[in-house]
């Protein structure tokens, strides 16, 4: 089958959940036996979101092959259980960067380099490349931002051109917000109509309109949208607020989104999507038999999106154990030796989050000291693991000045040091240790017991590492390096005598999906449940 391309645009407002709709449609098509991948086009000028403040943009997600991407790629993987890659994340910055590099190389000698055709050609190339791998029946391309945004214009123009070139192999879905006017007591379709008009002005007629709404659409709403937006009534799809984003594939199925898409491509709609596993997951998610509360200590807790993959990993792990995991968000800047007991007391487990820079580190260390001494299950991720190493050095190895050189360049005991290849970098963006690396698990360790295998591969995003000069003293005092990279980098530390104390240099949360909850999260929640 020739690859089919689905474009997803958004209108009226941002944050409508284009990512969730794209991921849900992918889930439905996958469940019908098709191969699907989802790609995100981001209109901002940063070549990748790696340097963006999480307060601004939420979590930076990392793919197997080391792309720093928008958090939507995390949703794609969690819904589809398929890894994404560099090619799934495209930004205006990245597009311009490669066009300008080509210009400097002389690839366009004699030509005036312009938005049309040079930038749009590059965008089209990036969209088509996923289909050319021959791996996918469907490529879903989500366009970030809202129609009408100046910065989104080249993307919409590229889609207009592609639709002409691809003919029947391209379909556009437009997601628009349908506001409810309380005073009038009704839903208003006019803003959505206007957003479709904007798309039409740019030469794109969407085939399907997905309506984000807090109230059920009336038949009247559907007819009006169909008439004014030039689509069939059956292609007006309601997307009402859901209890959980994981419910959205079922809602989309009930509205027939997958069926309409298949019809547009002239594909058979006879066989139904097999959603038995998904249904079982939802049943367990909505009917938990147990409940635990776990503390999440981090410095971005005001914006929960900054820890998206972690919160989702807890949902996957908890659900697999029939357990609802409540998260108590604890701002690391507020934790100190005096209040740590009152803040953490009663929690069944504590996760210390990843991060960069000094802010909140003292609070993370205070929290770790408390859970280590009180034998409370602990999972430290990346900076969380590094803080556990610093805490152990200070209070168990009696090295009160120990620190990470990220926080104190001149520390007497640099138990966390900068990686050799990170020392003389002249660029900040895209230069961390990124993506998947192998790790060998130590025989007899808790990590080995959890993973049930000796060799694992996990994703990374860091510049600093455990300083191996201190390895022996740590081992002697009871903190074991239980996961080591082939190059000798400590990937996991654990405290053998503790109920559950694990720190990982890598980010297990990036690999957790509905289908495959991450073993470390499952083991951590289990430990919390029996605490
Ligand atoms: N700042 C630390 C480092 O760069 C930890 C990074 C992280 O938590 N992702 O090594």
């Amino acid at each position: 089958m020739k690859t089919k391309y689905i474009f997803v645009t958004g209108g009226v407002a941002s944050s409508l959940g284009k990512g969730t709709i794209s991921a849900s449609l992918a889930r439905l098509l996958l469940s019908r036996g098709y191969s699907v991948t989802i790609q995100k086009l981001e209109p901002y000028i940063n070549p990748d979101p790696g340097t963006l403040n999480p307060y601004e943009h939420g979590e930076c997600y990392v793919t197997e092959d080391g792309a720093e991407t928008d958090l939507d790629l995390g949703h794609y993987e969690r819904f589809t259980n398929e890894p994404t890659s560099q090619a799934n994340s495209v930004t205006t910055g990245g597009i311009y960067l490669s066009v300008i590099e080509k210009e400097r190389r002389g690839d366009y000698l004699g030509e005036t380099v312009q938005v049309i055709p040079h930038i749009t050609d590059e965008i089209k190339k990036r969209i088509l490349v996923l289909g050319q791998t021959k791996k996918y029946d469907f490529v879903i391309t989500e366009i970030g931002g809202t129609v009408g945004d100046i910065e989104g214009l080249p993307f919409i123009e590229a889609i207009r051109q592609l639709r002409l070139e691809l003919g029947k192999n391209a379909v556009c879905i437009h997601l628009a917000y349908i506001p409810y006017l309380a005073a009038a007591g009704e839903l208003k379709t006019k803003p959505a109509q206007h957003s479709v008009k904007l798309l039409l002005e740019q030469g794109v007629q969407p085939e399907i309109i997905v309506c984000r709404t807090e109230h059920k659409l009336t038949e009247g709403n559907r007819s009006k949208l169909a008439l004014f937006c030039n689509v069939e009534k059956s292609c007006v799809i309601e997307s009402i607020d859901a209890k959980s984003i994981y419910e959205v594939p079922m809602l989309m199925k009930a509205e027939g989104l997958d069926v309409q898409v298949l019809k547009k491509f002239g594909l058979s709609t006879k066989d139904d999507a097999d959603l038995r596993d998904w249904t079982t997951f939802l049943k367990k998610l909505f009917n938990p038999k147990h409940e635990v509360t776990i503390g999440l200590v981090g410095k971005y807790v005001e914006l929960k999106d900054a820890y998206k993959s972690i919160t989702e990993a807890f949902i996957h792990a908890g659900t697999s154990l029939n357990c609802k995991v409540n998260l108590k968000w604890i701002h690391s800047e507020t934790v100190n030796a005096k209040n740590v007991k009152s803040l953490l007391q009663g929690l069944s487990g504590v996760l210390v989050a990843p991060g960069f820079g000094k802010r909140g580190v003292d609070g993370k260390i205070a929290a770790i000291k408390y859970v280590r001494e009180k034998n409370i299950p602990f999972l430290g991720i990346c900076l969380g693991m590094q803080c556990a190493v610093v805490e152990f050095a200070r209070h168990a190895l009696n090295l009160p000045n120990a620190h990470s050189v990220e926080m104190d360049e001149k520390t007497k005991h640099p138990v966390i040091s900068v990686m050799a290849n990170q020392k003389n970098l002249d660029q900040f963006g895209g230069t961390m240790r990124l993506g998947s690396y192998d790790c060998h698990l130590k025989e007899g360790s808790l990590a080995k017991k959890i993973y049930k295998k000796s060799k694992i591969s996990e994703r990374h995003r860091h510049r600093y590492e455990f300083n191996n000069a201190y390895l022996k003293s740590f081992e002697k005092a009871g903190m074991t390096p239980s996961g080591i990279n082939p190059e000798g980098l400590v990937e996991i530390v654990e405290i053998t005598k503790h109920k559950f104390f694990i720190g990982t240099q890598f980010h297990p949360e990036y690999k957790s999906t509905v289908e495959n909850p991450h073993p470390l999260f499952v083991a951590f929640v289990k430990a919390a449940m029996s605490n």
Side-chain angles (χ1 to χ4, degrees), residues 54 96 109 193 237 247 327 337 397 528:
Y96 271 81
L109 273 191
Q193 294 174 38
I237 306 285
E247 212 184 359
L327 290 180
L397 299 184

Side-chain angles (χ1 to χ4, degrees), residues 299 352-359 361 364 368 380-389 404 406-407 462 504-505 507:
K299 68 170 166 176
V352 174
F356 295 85
K358 228 176 165 143
R359 188 167 70 91
V361 159
K364 286 185 172 174
I368 295 168
I381 299 178
C382 210
L383 182 61
M385 170 266 199
Q386 296 174 355
C387 287
V389 168
S404 159
E406 181 182 5
M407 320 303 160
H462 66 119
T504 64
Q505 186 56 75
H507 292 257

